[in-house]
Amino acid sequence: MVRSRADMDDFIRLPYRLYRAHPHWVAPLEVERRQFINPRRNPYLRVSEVGYFLARRGRAPVGRVAAIIGPDGPARGRQGHVGFFECIEDPAVARALWEQALDWLRERDVQTVTGPMNPNMHHECGLLVDGFDDAPRICMPYNPPYYADLFTEGGFTPVKDLLSWRLSPTSRKVTQWADYADMLRRKHGLTVRTADWRHFRSESGLVRELYHACWQDNWGYAPATDAEFTYLARQTCLIAPTGVHIAEYEGTPVGFTILLPDINQALAPAQGRLTHYGWPAGAWRVWRGYRAITRGRLLATGVSENGRGKGAALALISAALDSARRRNWSEVDVSWVLEDNRAANKPLAALGAAVHKRHRLYARCVRHSQPCSCLTAHAHPAPENTHDAHV
């Protein structure tokens, strides 16, 4: 278990060692990773129990995992998560990590565990199982193909796939669909506006209420605390000041969408550091790369019950794609979408979008080494009336 500052340093730096020569992995900024895993910076970690585990061979770190119990754990039958998993291609190392993490969860009366989540559904989650030949988009995880075997050999069962759709904002189908969406918007008197972050508290509170209203019936839903949502909203505001659109019907907000630039394109040249030998070479590379971003990620589209049937989802996505065209982006990644969310997947396919990545969530009973009946609750399909792409 991670107990010292040196252990935590090795925990944070392990991915940089494992992926050093990998052509597609994008190194996050190390300073950002340190802040993200710091409870004083990340409000979710302040209200959660987290155990960090590090495997070594000799003195060299060769694997890591975190066991997480969120604030919703007791109310949800003591469910836990595993996340931040990284490991060399060695089942023995992975088994040692699982054993330590599951023992820690078992001692805290956790019954089932899902993952990977870093650290929950509001952040990076899922194991990449298809689409290894392309770099990850912003806030999406990347891992080698053999990780799936390490999960299944550790007794984990697949419970849900998360789809990433690739869409061209300038395609003929998208243009035709935008005209139809505009017709519906005018017919029902909908308006779509950009969030005004000069009024941060009221705008973030509005989006938070819409988020909870849209996602409360979705698989895996766990409400974000006010502090966590404010943290996420500040990050979104920093990355994409004009990326949030809000749909209104008769003056009442009924939906929202979030479109982010894929800053992984800008981060890749920095190789995880803003400074090199005291010079801000990495910061300059990020700045230069940011100006050359050519794609974005449609992070979320949520429409409340009052907005469904009025074309609110179409109007929001149309506004987001129009924003992408104005930025001369050649691609928008719509991710992630639950595999059984037909209300979201069917229109994307009709627009000519293609699934180019697939991430998978796994579950395991903490008390048993083999799949058992207590996992059936994790595998139910998405509700028929959902119109939401995660996030």
Side-chain angles (χ1 to χ4, degrees):
M1 188 169 184
V2 170
R3 301 185 185 279
S4 67
R5 180 176 295 182
D7 287 343
M8 183 55 74
D9 285 344
D10 286 339
F11 186 95
I12 292 171
R13 292 171 179 166
L14 178 59
Y16 299 87
R17 293 185 47 167
L18 295 180
Y19 296 93
R20 183 175 298 159
H22 201 286
H24 298 304
W25 183 70
V26 177
L29 294 177
E30 185 177 326
V31 63
E32 185 275 332
R33 288 291 85 186
R34 290 184 179 278
Q35 293 175 355
F36 183 79
I37 215 166
N38 185 342
R40 291 179 294 178
R41 296 296 189 99
N42 188 336
Y44 179 78
L45 299 181
R46 289 200 294 270
V47 295
S48 304
E49 293 183 73
V50 186
Y52 299 101
F53 301 90
L54 186 68
R56 296 182 185 274
R57 180 163 288 162
R59 299 182 62 182
V62 291
R64 73 176 197 184
V65 72
I68 305 154
I69 307 173
D72 56 322
R76 295 170 64 85
R78 295 305 288 178
Q79 293 182 17
H81 304 146
V82 289
F84 301 102
F85 177 80
E86 302 288 356
C87 189
I88 62 172
E89 193 172 1
D90 188 332
V93 174
R95 282 196 299 270
L97 288 169
W98 298 136
E99 180 181 347
Q100 292 295 312
L102 294 175
D103 281 349
W104 185 89
L105 291 165
R106 196 176 296 116
E107 291 171 359
R108 286 154 180 80
D109 199 30
V110 169
Q111 297 176 9
T112 58
V113 60
T114 56
M117 299 184 186
N118 308 332
N120 62 10
M121 293 278 280
H122 303 133
H123 299 276
E124 290 183 357
C125 65
L127 198 71
L128 183 65
V129 295
D130 187 26
F132 299 98
D133 58 349
D134 192 13
R137 306 306 186 251
I138 178 176
C139 299
M140 293 294 287
Y142 189 89
N143 55 264
Y146 67 83
Y147 275 26
D149 292 334
L150 298 182
F151 268 77
T152 55
E153 290 171 6
F156 287 84
T157 300
V159 292
K160 194 69 67 174
D161 279 8
L162 316 174
L163 307 182
S164 295
W165 293 82
R166 178 184 287 159
L167 180 64
S168 170
T170 59
S171 70
R172 182 177 60 85
K173 287 185 178 180
V174 168
T175 302
Q176 293 173 343
W177 181 71
D179 293 337
Y180 176 67
D182 188 57
M183 182 272 291
L184 281 181
R185 181 187 60 78
R186 287 185 278 106
K187 176 183 177 181
H188 293 286
L190 288 166
T191 59
V192 178
R193 65 175 179 85
T194 302
D196 186 356
W197 295 121
R198 293 175 299 178
H199 308 286
F200 179 84
R201 180 173 297 180
S202 61
E203 291 288 73
S204 62
L206 171 61
V207 175
R208 181 177 65 248
E209 291 177 6
L210 285 170
Y211 170 78
H212 293 319
C214 296
W215 266 272
Q216 60 184 348
D217 296 325
N218 278 14
W219 182 90
Y221 169 78
T225 65
D226 290 352
E228 183 185 8
F229 204 94
T230 299
Y231 171 79
L232 293 169
R234 291 193 184 281
Q235 288 185 315
T236 300
C237 181
L238 179 65
I239 296 170
T242 60
V244 177
H245 290 88
I246 298 171
E248 296 179 340
Y249 174 66
E250 295 181 347
T252 301
V254 294
F256 73 99
T257 192
I258 302 174
L259 177 69
L260 302 179
D262 183 21
I263 61 172
N264 276 0
Q265 287 184 292
L267 292 178
Q271 299 178 336
R273 300 185 63 184
L274 291 176
T275 60
H276 294 268
Y277 305 106
W279 293 90
W284 179 79
R285 290 169 182 167
V286 171
W287 175 82
R288 185 179 63 175
Y290 190 87
R291 294 166 58 88
I293 287 175
T294 60
R295 62 188 181 221
R297 179 187 172 199
L298 190 60
L299 183 73
T301 301
V303 177
S304 66
E305 187 175 351
N306 292 335
R308 294 169 188 167
K310 300 180 177 66
L314 297 179
L316 284 164
I317 296 175
S318 179
L321 293 177
D322 181 62
S323 177
R325 284 191 295 272
R326 292 198 305 271
R327 289 167 170 77
N328 294 319
W329 291 350
S330 60
E331 173 193 322
V332 171
D333 188 86
V334 184
S335 59
W336 44 260
V337 185
L338 291 170
E339 60 178 332
D340 47 8
N341 186 346
R342 290 179 289 274
N345 290 318
K346 186 176 179 179
L348 287 169
L351 279 172
V355 175
H356 73 111
K357 287 183 182 292
R358 183 182 293 263
H359 291 76
R360 183 163 294 158
L361 286 169
Y362 294 79
R364 178 180 161 168
C365 174
V366 174
R367 301 182 183 277
H368 304 91
S369 59
Q370 299 297 325
C372 62
S373 60
C374 65
L375 295 181
T376 57
H378 290 268
H380 64 274
E384 288 287 340
N385 63 348
T386 182
H387 286 69
D388 311 320
H390 161 81
V391 254

